Amino acid sequence: MPLHLYNTLSGKVEEFAPSQDNTVRMYACGPTVYDYGHIGNFRTFVAVDILRRFLRQSGHKLQHVMNITDVDDKIIRNAARDKKTVQEYTRKYEEAFLEDMGSLNLERPERLVRATEHIPAMAEFIAALEKKGFAYRTEDGSYYFRIAMFPEYGKLSKKDFGGMETGARVDVDEYEKDNARDFALWKSPKEGEAFWESSIGPGRPGWHIECSVMSMKYLGDSFDLHAGGEDLTFPHHENEIAQSEALTGKIFSRHWMHVRFLLVEGEKMSKSAGNFFTLRDLLVKGHKPSSIRFLLTSVPYRKQLNFTMAGLEQAAKSVERLRTFAARMRMMRLPAGTNPAAQEAAAKARREMRAGMEDDLNTAYASAAVFDMVREMNTLADHGELREGDKAPSLEVLELFDEIFAVMKDDDADKMKAAMEWAREHGLVGEAAKTISDEEVNRLIEERNAAKKARDFARSDALRKQLADGGIVLEDTKDGTRWKRK
Ligand code: AMP
Ligand code: ZN
């Protein structure tokens, strides 16, 4: 069976295949680099990574473009506030984002492109829209898209804009969700803020135009798939469709994939609710990148994932189980031959993993198939019923699994160390520590007690240090270990 994927545009699960040759041409909206990436962002980026890895495993070639939004209202405001150029302000976050991608084993798209390096092309695009009557210039030198000229407006988000006010405009990047207004393609300069000279005058691009211009430049007027988090459906993607299809008269992206927003501890993630985590926050708090990646893949992309600390610990155990199993298979000495039950367990896991992924990337089903195999194989091994010839098929299943899930390689410690060094350099260690939960402190203390009991003093010292770095002071008394926050 080929891959079936939900298409927001048609509202249906459809067979997905590239339209020309064997190459999938896809565009994914990338990060706005004004801050460090949070786990909500990475929920979406991991989902897109899973798609690309599965497409490659299925024999496709990829031409995957991702933009870096290094210009928008917030960036321009923050750069002006910090007396930096836009480039100085954004580069630090862009580099951090690329490092974070590495921590989570996200494959690099074939092309990563910056908005600020495509400004002349954006100006040309806008001029061409104006020529066709789809864009107009206002007195201050800004340009807007005339949505009344594009009757299909709303076809992606399925919103009915029948009663919309013609000529009403919006020029901020933060939108009212249900209101259709002519949107800004180009904004004239504001006092004290960065702007670019261009063929349509000085100013800066609106947010939507960058994705239309960069996707079409590298993928052509029409391409196979466009992806992003569900919040981008409207207005961002709706506006991309309007701009692009108005200009070319051709279908822009055939397929649209949107990733459901994640919740943290059952709530919408927000800084004010105290449940906002960057990837770095979690690494500095001692969570493994492989656990984070595994948790982010554990729920299929269209279902709501509730990211919890308990879930993260469970994910760590799941990854550990797989790694232990792989090590066991590699090391075990077994009698020659094969056991048909083991052979069938591996074949079934292979089949079901594929069937799960083909079913709208059902990662939960696919990984469950692998865990079933691990359980069966472990039981057979415990009973002395496994044979030498059973190892290879089960290890192959794990390899196929890992081509997509990418959690088997045990390189967590190095990545966490790098995150800790970064936090120390930025004076963030104490800060991150404030968020270490009591539960985690108690768990680390228990681990330290166990290490002491086993006379593993190097380990117990390391745990004391980890706690100290987190601002936790220990006091060993005859009644046990007491602790307080610095
Ligand atoms: P931004 O850096 O805000 O432009 O967002 C980058 C990507 O992360 C976009 O595709 C967003 O839709 C996605 N995103 C932001 N918050 C969340 C969330 N809580 N859950 C899932 N995806 C998100
Ligand atoms: Zn975009």
Side-chain angles (χ1 to χ4, degrees):
M1 205 174 75
L3 170 61
H4 282 69
L5 210 53
Y6 182 81
N7 183 355
T8 313
L9 188 59
S10 66
K12 289 193 219 112
V13 175
E14 289 171 1
E15 191 174 315
F16 177 79
S19 64
Q20 317 160 22
D21 54 56
N22 186 33
T23 302
V24 174
R25 290 169 181 81
M26 59 189 263
Y27 185 89
C29 291
T32 308
V33 281
Y34 69 93
D35 207 343
Y36 298 107
H38 58 68
I39 47 168
N41 301 140
F42 287 109
R43 162 69 164 154
T44 291
F45 297 131
V46 167
V48 174
D49 186 62
I50 294 281
L51 169 70
R52 65 165 281 139
R53 286 168 174 272
F54 184 63
L55 288 169
R56 282 204 308 120
Q57 186 175 82
S58 309
H60 293 300
K61 290 213 170 73
L62 287 178
Q63 194 48 251
H64 171 190
V65 178
M66 184 167 85
N67 64 310
I68 303 272
T69 301
D70 58 351
V71 50
D72 86 334
D73 289 352
K74 250 184 264 159
I75 289 174
I76 289 190
R77 259 192 326 254
N78 291 2
R81 181 199 61 201
D82 296 355
K83 304 205 166 25
K84 287 186 171 160
T85 63
V86 164
Q87 197 188 54
E88 282 160 357
Y89 182 78
T90 53
R91 276 309 144 82
K92 167 174 127 183
Y93 295 112
E94 181 186 309
E95 276 164 25
F97 175 73
L98 297 178
E99 249 174 56
D100 289 351
M101 281 185 78
S103 297
L104 287 178
N105 291 343
L106 293 168
E107 288 184 345
R108 285 279 175 106
E110 280 60 35
R111 270 181 202 277
L112 267 170
V113 289
R114 295 190 186 110
T116 53
E117 288 170 4
H118 294 78
I119 289 185
M122 295 183 209
E124 273 168 39
F125 197 109
I126 295 166
L129 280 175
E130 190 189 20
K131 216 166 153 197
K132 289 191 141 189
F134 287 102
Y136 60 94
R137 187 174 194 269
T138 53
E139 243 166 52
D140 68 347
S142 297
Y143 285 78
Y144 287 84
F145 185 88
R146 201 187 303 272
I147 59 174
M149 283 275 291
F150 190 73
E152 288 177 281
Y153 196 75
K155 70 176 174 180
L156 180 71
S157 53
K158 318 282 181 271
K159 288 179 189 283
D160 179 6
F161 295 117
M164 73 194 172
E165 298 166 67
T166 327
R169 296 193 292 266
V170 58
D171 68 353
V172 287
D173 290 340
E174 295 126 36
Y175 288 78
E176 289 169 64
K177 289 287 172 203
D178 288 310
N179 221 339
R181 303 275 175 93
D182 286 359
F183 56 89
L185 296 162
W186 184 260
K187 305 179 195 187
S188 62
K190 287 206 186 97
E191 186 72 32
E193 292 186 349
F195 66 92
W196 283 259
E197 290 294 349
S198 81
S199 58
I200 55 167
R204 64 197 207 229
W207 171 34
H208 318 299
I209 195 75
E210 65 170 282
C211 288
S212 281
V213 167
M214 294 191 282
S215 56
M216 286 161 64
K217 171 167 173 148
Y218 297 107
L219 300 171
D221 291 350
S222 296
F223 52 92
D224 297 314
L225 181 134
H226 195 126
E230 63 174 345
D231 61 319
L232 300 187
T233 314
F234 182 83
H236 185 51
H237 290 161
E238 195 73 64
N239 290 353
E240 282 186 44
I241 292 177
Q243 296 160 160
S244 305
E245 298 191 358
L247 186 71
T248 64
K250 298 180 204 157
I251 185 127
F252 175 49
S253 173
R254 294 189 301 115
H255 199 105
W256 290 84
M257 170 185 178
H258 290 105
V259 182
R260 185 94 189 261
F261 255 40
L262 62 60
L263 298 180
V264 177
E265 304 287 350
E267 284 178 50
K268 198 171 162 213
M269 184 165 63
S270 78
K271 281 192 177 149
S272 55
N275 64 354
F276 180 94
F277 295 112
T278 64
L279 175 67
R280 282 153 193 256
D281 290 334
L282 294 174
L283 299 182
V284 171
K285 283 178 68 185
H287 295 290
K288 295 179 180 174
S290 61
S291 323
I292 300 167
R293 183 174 166 107
F294 191 73
L295 180 55
L296 291 176
T297 63
S298 62
V299 173
Y301 75 96
R302 276 204 305 136
K303 290 231 164 78
Q304 190 143 51
L305 165 66
N306 183 17
F307 193 99
T308 64
M309 291 305 138
L312 205 45
E313 298 204 350
Q314 193 52 49
K317 284 188 193 138
S318 300
V319 171
E320 210 42 54
R321 243 181 111 210
L322 296 179
R323 289 180 183 172
T324 309
F325 173 76
R328 186 180 193 194
M329 284 299 110
R330 281 195 208 99
M331 280 157 51
M332 257 185 150
R333 295 190 159 267
L334 294 170
T338 55
N339 175 340
Q343 297 286 321
E344 175 49 25
K348 181 166 172 239
R350 198 176 176 130
R351 257 188 337 260
E352 302 231 314
M353 186 162 66
R354 179 130 207 113
M357 294 307 292
E358 282 170 343
D359 179 15
D360 201 16
L361 304 176
N362 191 338
T363 45
Y365 189 91
S367 60
V370 174
F371 281 98
D372 283 349
M373 176 194 82
V374 167
R375 203 185 46 246
E376 281 180 48
M377 292 279 200
N378 272 332
T379 309
L380 291 171
D382 293 345
H383 292 103
E385 289 168 16
L386 215 55
R387 296 292 170 263
E388 188 61 29
D390 300 328
K391 288 178 173 176
S394 64
L395 286 169
E396 265 165 40
V397 168
L398 284 185
E399 252 168 56
L400 288 171
F401 166 85
D402 208 46
E403 279 174 15
I404 297 164
F405 287 79
V407 291
M408 295 294 286
K409 187 169 169 207
D410 193 358
D411 56 1
D412 293 303
D414 289 345
K415 291 171 173 170
M416 288 156 82
K417 202 165 142 232
M420 205 64 189
E421 272 161 22
W422 164 84
R424 246 183 235 120
E425 270 166 33
H426 289 73
L428 295 174
V429 173
E431 184 122 328
K434 276 189 227 133
T435 55
I436 290 198
S437 66
D438 292 3
E439 220 173 66
E440 271 178 271
V441 172
N442 288 326
R443 187 179 61 76
L444 290 169
I445 290 178
E446 265 174 41
E447 217 179 306
R448 174 170 170 266
N449 289 340
K452 273 183 17 185
K453 215 165 149 198
R455 307 189 66 76
D456 183 353
F457 298 116
R459 178 84 188 126
S460 72
D461 285 349
L463 286 160
R464 174 189 275 274
K465 182 156 183 322
Q466 187 180 341
L467 284 157
D469 285 343
I472 306 295
V473 187
L474 301 184
E475 192 193 339
D476 290 316
T477 72
K478 62 178 173 20
D479 302 323
T481 307
R482 270 192 257 157
W483 63 270
K484 60 174 194 262
R485 293 181 195 273
K486 253 195 276 202

